[in-house]
C-alpha cells in the first residue's frame, strides 16, 4: 500500500470516528443554499431560538417503508452534527445510517413546494415523494 493510500485511509477512518462521536463535520449530510435560505426563513417566522439545530431524521412509515422528518431540536448526546451553508444539522446514529451522503434541497414547482432529499442509499420511492425504501 502506498503512503498516500495509508494517509487517505487514516483520514477517512478518523472522519468516521468523529461522526460517531457527535463531532461537527461537513460532507456526509448536506443542504443546498436554497434549502438553507428556507430554513432561515422558517426559523425567523416561527421565532425559533438560534440554539436549536435542524434535526434530520428517518422514521418508519409511508408507502415505501421510511419517511424523512425535519424539525428544530436541541442536540442530544450521541448525535452526529454537521454544518452546511451555515445551518447546523443534527442526526441520530440510526437515521445517519440511512442518510449518509444525502443532500437536502428546497424546490418550488407546479406541484407545490417542499424539501427534497437526494439520497444515494435509497432503492426506491413511492409516488407521494415523501417515503423511500433501502
Amino acid at each position: 500500500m502506498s503512503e498516500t493510500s495509508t494517509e487517505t485511509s487514516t483520514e477517512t477512518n478518523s472522519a468516521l470516528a468523529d461522526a460517531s462521536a457527535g463531532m461537527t463535520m461537513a460532507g456526509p449530510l448536506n443542504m443546498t443554499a436554497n434549502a438553507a435560505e428556507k430554513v432561515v426563513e422558517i426559523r425567523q417566522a416561527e421565532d425559533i431560538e438560534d440554539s436549536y439545530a435542524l434535526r434530520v431524521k428517518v422514521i418508519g412509515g409511508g408507502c415505501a417503508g421510511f419517511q424523512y422528518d425535519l424539525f428544530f431540536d436541541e442536540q442530544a448526546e450521541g448525535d452526529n452534527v454537521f454544518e452546511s451553508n451555515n445551518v447546523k444539522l443534527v442526526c441520530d446514529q440510526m437515521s445517519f445510517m440511512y442518510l449518509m451522503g444525502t443532500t437536502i434541497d428546497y424546490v418550488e414547482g407546479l406541484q407545490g413546494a417542499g424539501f427534497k432529499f437526494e439520497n444515494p442509499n435509497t432503492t426506491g420511492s413511492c409516488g407521494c415523494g415523501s417515503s423511500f425504501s433501502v
Side-chain angles (χ1 to χ4, degrees):
M1 186 181 276
S2 72
E3 212 171 290
T4 305
S5 315
T6 305
E7 288 173 12
T8 303
S9 177
T10 302
E11 289 171 6
T12 301
N13 291 338
S14 176
L16 291 174
D18 288 348
S20 63
M23 309 252 330
T24 300
M25 6 181 335
L29 187 57
N30 297 295
M31 178 167 280
T32 65
N34 202 29
E37 287 176 22
K38 189 63 175 179
V39 169
V40 169
E41 181 183 315
I42 293 168
R43 180 186 296 276
Q44 291 171 347
E46 298 291 326
D47 197 27
I48 297 169
E49 295 178 32
D50 289 338
S51 63
Y52 283 68
L54 184 65
R55 181 165 299 278
V56 184
K57 189 169 184 153
V58 172
I59 57 174
C63 310
F66 294 101
Q67 291 181 316
Y68 300 109
D69 197 11
L70 290 173
F71 55 95
F72 290 100
D73 195 15
E74 293 178 325
Q75 181 180 337
E77 187 175 328
D79 277 345
N80 293 294
V81 181
F82 308 95
E83 187 168 318
S84 183
N85 280 306
N86 297 316
V87 173
K88 183 177 178 182
L89 305 167
V90 294
C91 182
D92 64 80
Q93 191 62 39
M94 190 280 302
S95 294
F96 183 62
M97 292 186 316
Y98 297 107
L99 293 169
M100 191 180 301
T102 296
T103 298
I104 304 166
D105 194 9
Y106 185 79
V107 295
E108 295 180 0
L110 294 175
Q111 296 179 349
F115 290 97
K116 180 179 177 185
F117 291 76
E118 294 293 331
N119 186 340
N121 305 305
T122 62
T123 57
S125 62
C126 73
C128 72
S130 65
S131 68
F132 67 98
S133 58
V134 288

